[in-house]
Amino acid sequence: MDNDTTLYSPLPSDAQFLKAKAPSVRARPTLSPSLSLPSEQTSERSEGRSCRPRVSAFRELDVDAMLDAETDHAHRSAIDSLTSRPTQRLRNQPDSFDSLQSDDAASPISPNGSETFSRLESNTSENEWTTSWRVFSSSRLMMLTLVLLVAMPLMYDTTFLGKAGPSIIGVKAGVISRSGPQRKDFVNGKLVARQAITDTNVCNRWSQQSALVNGTIYLYGGHTTATADQTSDTWNNDFLTIDVTKSWDISSPVIAGLPQPSGPPPVSNGYLWNSYGVLYLYGGEYSDDPITTPSPYSLWQYDIASSTWTETQNPQTSTGNNSDGGNQPVLGSAEGAGVSVPELGRGFYFAGHQDPYTTPGWSQSIYRIYLKSLLEFTFPGYSNDGVQSLTGGKTAGSGGVWRNVTQGGIQDTAIFPNRADSVILYVPGYGQDGILVSMAGGTNVSFTQMNVIDVYDVASSTWYRQSTSGAYPILRVNPCVVALSAPDGSSTNIYMYGGQNLIPYGNQTQYSDMWILTVPSFTWIQVDTSGQSVPPGRSGHTCNIWNGQIVVVGGYTGPPSNGLGCDSGFYVFNATSLQWQNNYNALSGGDAQNQQLSQQKDASGLSGSYGYQVPVAVQSVIGGKGSGGATVTAPAESATAGPLATGKAITYTLTDSNGAIVTETGTASTTTGSSASNNGKSGPNVGAIVAGVVAGCFAVLAGYLGFCAWVYRRQLALYKNHVAMSQRAAAAGGGEKSAFLAATPSGGSSARNQYSTDQSSRNAGSGAGSSGYTPVPPLPVAGEAPIGGNSTANSSAEDLAGEPSFVGVLLNPRRSLRVINRD
C-alpha cells in the first residue's frame, strides 16, 4: 500500500453546477452502470453551456434514503455553501425523482413575478438536490475505492482470493521471487514485518550452514541463485529442513521452508552447532556484492521445540587450558571448520579467516588474516573441565561459555599452518573425551597436504600430528566429511567428498572423488566410482549422515560458463556399498540418534551409523568383516605421542537378535559418559568367560594334533629314506645308509655346499643363481664316500621295521619323537 496510488478525477466546481441547465425531462434512472442526465439548450442565464454528464457505477436511491425533506438547518447551510445560494426551506417534495416538475411544465412568468419566483424556487430546489446527490455519490465512490485498495492486498493471502503470492498492486522487480509477501504484525505495540517463508525452489545453493538433529537436517543462509547466470546478490537468510526419517527420491526430497528469521544475519561459510534440541549460529561472512557492513558478533540460538530465535550480545571468552587470557570479545570469522559434539555439550570452530566481511571496522585496504586458533563453545547447561569457570561440575549459563584455544601443543609452532576452508571431524575414544581430526584447507599462497593429519585431544586441549599411509588425496579446499562407526567400534571411517583446487588462480577445479580415511590405521583408501552416475564436481556443499547414507546438499559447481546450469543439489551416497543412488532409503529400528544397535546405550556412539557395515574395500586394508573385527588397531605409521599412541577405540560386543554373541572385541579405554563394553552393563560377562575357556580347549587340541602331524611326517620320511638306502646299499655293496643329502649344481656351478632336507622344497632351479635339488636322493659318486657317512648307524632296526601310521603317532607320540631324535 505504501507505494500504491489511486487516480481519480476531482469533483466539478460549484460554478459548473450553477451554470448547468436543469434537464427538461426528469426520467427515472435506469439500471445501466453508466447513468447521465440529458442536456438541453441553455437559458439566457446558462451562458450557452450544457450540464456536465453524471456517471455512476451504482443504482440511485430514493431521495428519502439520502436527505429528508425536513433536513435540519445545519445540514441545509452546508448544502447552501456548496451551491453558493441562500438558505431556503424546501417545500414538501415527492418521494422520488419521478414527480419532480420539469421546466416545460412551469407556468409562464406573470407580470407580478409570482410565476418567476415559483420557477426560480423550483430550479433552486432542483440544483440543491443535484449538487447534494453528486457530492454524496462521489464521496461514497471514493470511500469504496479506498476500502478496496486496503482490503484487496490483505485478502490476497487468504483462501478467499487464492494462495499467497506477490502483491497484485504495484510493480515487483526481480526475475524470481524468493519468498511470499512480507506481512506485518504488532509486537510490543510496534509495527514489524512478519517472517517470510523460505522458498525451497532455487537454481543453485552453496556455502550454507547445516546441522542434523533427530532425523531432520537444518540448513541456514549461504548463497542461492534464481537463474543459472546470476552472479550477484546471492546472500540470503533462508531457513529450511530436510526430513531423513522418510524415504524420498533425489529429484523430490522431503524439504520444507521455515520462516526467514528477522534477527540472524544472512551469512555464508559459518557453522550451525547443535545440541539435542538447540541450534547455535556462529560466524560467517556478509555479502560483498552488494557490500554489506557486518555487525558485531552476537550468538543466535534457535530452540527447535518452540521455533524461536534468541540473541546473546557481546559474548566474551573465558580463561581455560591452553587458551587466551579470557575476557576478550568473541569475533566473527568465516570459512573455518566446524563440528558439533552433542554428547560432550560442545561445539568447535577451527581456523578460518577474518576480513572486512566478517569483522566490523575492518578497512578494505587491509588484507584478510588467516587463523589457526580453535574456538570452543560450551552449550548452556553443560560442564567443561577445560574452562576455569566451569571446574568442579559447574555448568554454563543461558549464553554458553567460550574458550579460545591458542597454545595447544604444536599449535603455536611453525609446523602448524594457518588455514581456511578445511574440515574437522570428531572420533570417540583414543583418549578420555575423544579426538578431533582436521584435514584439507589452505591460504591464498599455500595448502595443507593430507599425508599428515592434525589431531586434537579434547581432554588435554593439545594438538598432535599423525602421518598417514597409502596414496592420499591431492590438496583441496571446501570438501565435506562425515564419520561412521563399525558396528563393533573397532574402526571409524571418515568419508571425504569433493572440494576444489584453487591452483592455478582463475582456473579452479571442482572434484567429484570420494576418499576414506580409516582410523586408527590412518590409511587413505580411494573409492572406485567408475561406471557410476557421479554428481558433477563441487565445493562448498554440506554432507550429513543418517542410516549409513551420506546426504549431499548444494555445492558450487563452477562459473556459469561451464554450462552446468541449475543443479538440483540433492544427492545420496551409500557408505556401505560405496554407490551413488537415486533415492534416500529410510530404515526402521534406529534410535533418536541413529546409532548402531550395539552402541545405543552409549552416548559416545556416533550418530547416523545405524545400518552401516564396513565396506569390503576397507576390510581389505584393516582386516575383519562388515560388522568390524579390524585386525589393524594402531596407526600404520606409528604414533610417537598423544592419544593415538596410548589410547584405543571404544569397542562393543555384538549380539544376535536372539541374544547370542556374534563378535567379541577388546574393551575400551575409560571415556566420559560411556561404558566401554557389555553394552553399558557392569560385572563379569559369564558368556565371554565360557567362550574363552572353550576356545582355549580347542586351541590346545589343535596344537596337539598339529604336533602329532609334524612327528608323523618326520617319522614317515625317515622310514622311506631307510628303505631307499637299504636298496642302494644292497645294489652297491655299501653300508646301511649310503646317501641322505645331495646337492645339485646351481646355475651351472659345480658347488655342492647347498643342501635341503625338506622334500617338498626340491624343485628344479629356474634361472641363474637359483638353487635346484634332485627329486630323489642320488646314487653316490664313484670313488667317494657317501655324503653324511654313517650318521644313522645307531638307528634301531626295530623302530624302522614297519611303515609308521598317524594313529600310532597320535597314541604314542613319545616313541615316535624318540625315533626322530635318535636318527
Side-chain angles (χ1 to χ4, degrees):
M1 281 292 296
D2 296 337
N3 297 325
D4 297 333
T5 58
T6 303
L7 299 178
Y8 58 91
S9 300
L11 292 174
S13 65
D14 296 339
Q16 289 175 306
F17 281 110
L18 293 175
K19 290 182 180 180
K21 181 182 178 181
S24 59
V25 178
R26 297 178 177 88
R28 179 183 295 274
T30 65
L31 294 179
S32 171
S34 177
L35 301 177
S36 63
L37 295 176
S39 61
E40 294 182 350
Q41 297 296 325
T42 62
S43 62
E44 292 79 7
R45 292 182 303 170
S46 67
E47 298 180 358
R49 293 189 181 183
S50 62
C51 180
R52 181 183 179 91
R54 182 178 65 183
V55 179
S56 174
F58 302 93
R59 180 174 181 175
E60 296 186 18
L61 304 177
D62 292 340
V63 175
D64 291 340
M66 298 180 291
L67 289 175
D68 187 74
E70 300 297 332
T71 305
D72 58 52
H73 179 71
H75 192 187
R76 175 57 52 203
S77 299
I79 296 176
D80 289 342
S81 65
L82 289 174
T83 58
S84 300
R85 289 182 178 273
T87 303
Q88 298 183 30
R89 183 171 181 83
L90 293 176
R91 296 176 299 176
N92 293 334
Q93 300 292 339
D95 293 337
S96 68
F97 283 118
D98 293 337
S99 59
L100 293 177
Q101 295 297 317
S102 66
D103 292 340
D104 294 339
S107 59
I109 301 175
S110 61
N112 58 8
S114 60
E115 290 84 6
T116 302
F117 178 80
S118 176
R119 178 163 182 167
L120 178 60
E121 184 181 8
S122 175
N123 289 339
T124 300
S125 177
E126 179 185 43
N127 287 334
E128 290 174 351
W129 278 109
T130 302
T131 302
S132 178
W133 171 240
R134 287 180 180 274
V135 173
F136 182 78
S137 298
S138 299
S139 300
R140 292 188 62 191
L141 184 60
M142 289 177 61
M143 290 299 298
L144 183 59
T145 303
L146 290 174
V147 169
L148 290 176
L149 289 175
V150 172
M152 288 293 288
L154 296 179
M155 290 189 297
Y156 189 67
D157 288 340
T158 66
T159 56
F160 180 73
L161 291 178
K163 65 180 181 179
S167 174
I168 60 174
I169 301 174
V171 178
K172 186 172 181 65
V175 180
I176 294 180
S177 175
R178 287 182 178 167
S179 63
Q182 291 284 342
R183 297 173 296 176
K184 295 183 177 181
D185 201 354
F186 283 94
V187 176
N188 296 329
K190 297 180 180 179
L191 187 64
V192 297
R194 285 189 181 178
Q195 299 166 327
I197 302 300
T198 298
D199 187 1
T200 61
N201 185 21
V202 298
C203 180
N204 293 300
R205 186 189 308 275
W206 72 96
S207 294
Q208 66 274 0
Q209 292 77 209
S210 76
L212 202 167
V213 183
N214 299 330
T216 300
I217 299 175
Y218 293 85
L219 301 175
Y220 177 79
H223 298 261
T224 59
T225 59
T227 60
D229 57 352
Q230 181 180 346
T231 58
S232 63
D233 193 19
T234 60
W235 270 261
N236 65 82
N237 65 338
D238 290 351
F239 193 31
L240 49 89
T241 63
I242 303 172
D243 191 350
V244 289
T245 64
K246 301 176 182 178
S247 299
W248 40 264
D249 190 85
I250 62 174
S251 62
S252 56
V254 182
I255 184 173
L258 299 178
Q260 295 173 324
S262 57
V267 292
S268 66
N269 293 312
Y271 198 76
L272 203 61
W273 292 316
N274 70 275
S275 64
Y276 295 119
V278 181
L279 307 179
Y280 306 92
L281 176 64
Y282 171 74
E285 57 187 352
Y286 287 66
S287 172
D288 62 5
D289 186 8
I291 294 177
T292 302
T293 302
S295 302
Y297 175 70
S298 291
L299 173 68
W300 285 95
Q301 306 179 36
Y302 178 77
D303 183 77
I304 296 176
S306 62
S307 301
T308 56
W309 287 92
T310 304
E311 180 185 17
T312 302
Q313 297 181 341
N314 304 318
Q316 305 283 315
T317 62
S318 298
T319 303
N321 297 340
N322 297 332
S323 71
D324 61 12
N327 298 320
Q328 300 295 317
V330 176
L331 301 179
S333 61
E335 294 186 334
V339 62
S340 296
V341 190
E343 56 267 38
L344 297 179
R346 303 179 210 174
F348 298 89
Y349 195 80
F350 175 54
H353 74 256
Q354 292 177 333
D355 59 17
Y357 306 108
T358 65
T359 308
W362 195 291
S363 173
Q364 290 284 348
S365 61
I366 300 177
Y367 291 113
R368 69 168 46 170
I369 61 172
Y370 290 89
L371 309 173
K372 59 180 177 180
S373 58
L374 179 68
L375 188 64
E376 177 192 71
F377 176 66
T378 303
F379 301 155
Y382 284 84
S383 61
N384 184 350
D385 291 337
V387 179
Q388 184 175 345
S389 62
L390 297 181
T391 56
K394 298 177 182 177
T395 58
S398 59
V401 174
W402 301 82
R403 178 172 59 134
N404 189 14
V405 180
T406 58
Q407 304 168 15
I410 63 172
Q411 186 179 14
D412 58 353
T413 66
I415 64 173
F416 196 87
N418 301 12
R419 74 200 78 177
D421 300 316
S422 61
V423 289
I424 195 168
L425 256 297
Y426 174 72
V427 177
Y430 309 102
Q432 181 177 345
D433 292 332
I435 59 176
L436 302 180
V437 179
S438 172
M439 299 178 290
T443 67
N444 57 346
V445 295
S446 63
F447 296 88
T448 304
Q449 297 285 357
M450 283 177 278
N451 60 330
V452 177
I453 300 298
D454 294 309
V455 177
Y456 178 78
D457 181 19
V458 176
S460 65
S461 304
T462 305
W463 284 96
Y464 299 90
R465 307 206 84 183
Q466 176 60 49
S467 298
T468 65
S469 62
Y472 54 90
I474 61 176
L475 57 87
R476 67 190 63 201
V477 297
N478 282 327
C480 75
V481 290
V482 296
L484 296 104
S485 173
D488 70 347
S490 60
S491 68
T492 297
N493 298 309
I494 299 173
Y495 289 69
M496 184 179 72
Y497 166 62
Q500 69 176 349
N501 186 349
L502 299 179
I503 299 176
Y505 175 77
N507 190 23
Q508 295 92 333
T509 301
Q510 287 78 40
Y511 296 120
S512 61
D513 51 352
M514 181 77 73
W515 290 80
I516 299 175
L517 179 68
T518 180
V519 178
S521 173
F522 272 87
T523 301
W524 281 106
I525 303 168
Q526 184 173 12
V527 178
D528 182 12
T529 57
S530 59
Q532 300 184 36
S533 179
V534 179
R538 64 197 57 238
S539 65
H541 47 294
T542 57
C543 292
N544 297 98
I545 186 70
W546 204 257
N547 288 327
Q549 299 164 79
I550 304 174
V551 179
V552 179
V553 179
Y556 176 74
T557 57
S561 58
N562 64 7
L564 289 179
C566 294
D567 183 80
S568 65
F570 297 94
Y571 300 96
V572 178
F573 184 80
N574 191 304
T576 299
S577 63
L578 305 182
Q579 297 284 323
W580 289 100
Q581 53 194 38
N582 293 326
N583 49 21
Y584 168 80
N585 298 315
L587 305 179
S588 60
D591 63 354
Q593 305 310 314
N594 203 240
Q595 298 169 302
Q596 295 277 16
L597 284 175
S598 59
Q599 305 175 23
Q600 291 181 357
K601 295 182 180 180
D602 186 356
S604 297
L606 284 179
S607 177
S609 298
Y610 179 76
Y612 173 70
Q613 296 282 303
V614 180
V616 175
V618 178
Q619 297 175 34
S620 64
V621 174
I622 64 173
K625 51 187 178 180
S627 59
T631 57
V632 180
T633 58
E637 299 290 336
S638 298
T640 57
L644 290 171
T646 59
K648 54 184 177 181
I650 303 174
T651 52
Y652 305 85
T653 299
L654 302 184
T655 56
D656 203 348
S657 58
N658 58 4
I661 296 176
V662 178
T663 303
E664 180 73 22
T665 58
T667 58
S669 58
T670 303
T671 57
T672 300
S674 67
S675 179
S677 61
N678 299 324
N679 288 330
K681 299 179 181 180
S682 61
N685 190 330
V686 178
I689 295 175
V690 173
V693 172
V694 173
C697 294
F698 276 108
V700 172
L701 179 60
Y704 177 72
L705 293 176
F707 170 74
C708 291
W710 176 78
V711 172
Y712 168 71
R713 288 196 302 268
R714 293 294 304 275
Q715 189 176 9
L716 181 62
L718 288 175
Y719 172 77
K720 291 182 178 179
N721 285 339
H722 175 75
V723 173
M725 286 186 293
S726 298
Q727 293 175 350
R728 285 194 296 271
E736 177 182 337
K737 203 171 188 182
S738 60
F740 186 78
L741 302 175
T744 56
S746 177
S749 172
S750 60
R752 302 173 61 184
N753 58 354
Q754 298 183 16
Y755 307 103
S756 174
T757 59
D758 187 359
Q759 301 291 325
S760 64
S761 66
R762 294 185 179 182
N763 298 320
S766 61
S770 62
S771 298
Y773 302 93
T774 56
V776 180
L779 294 175
V781 180
E784 294 185 6
I787 299 175
N790 296 324
S791 61
T792 60
N794 294 326
S795 297
S796 173
E798 180 184 358
D799 291 336
L800 296 176
E803 182 176 351
S805 65
F806 179 75
V807 175
V809 173
L810 189 64
L811 296 177
N812 195 356
R814 294 182 60 186
R815 177 175 179 274
S816 300
L817 184 62
R818 184 177 67 250
V819 172
I820 294 174
N821 292 334
R822 186 172 59 233
D823 203 51

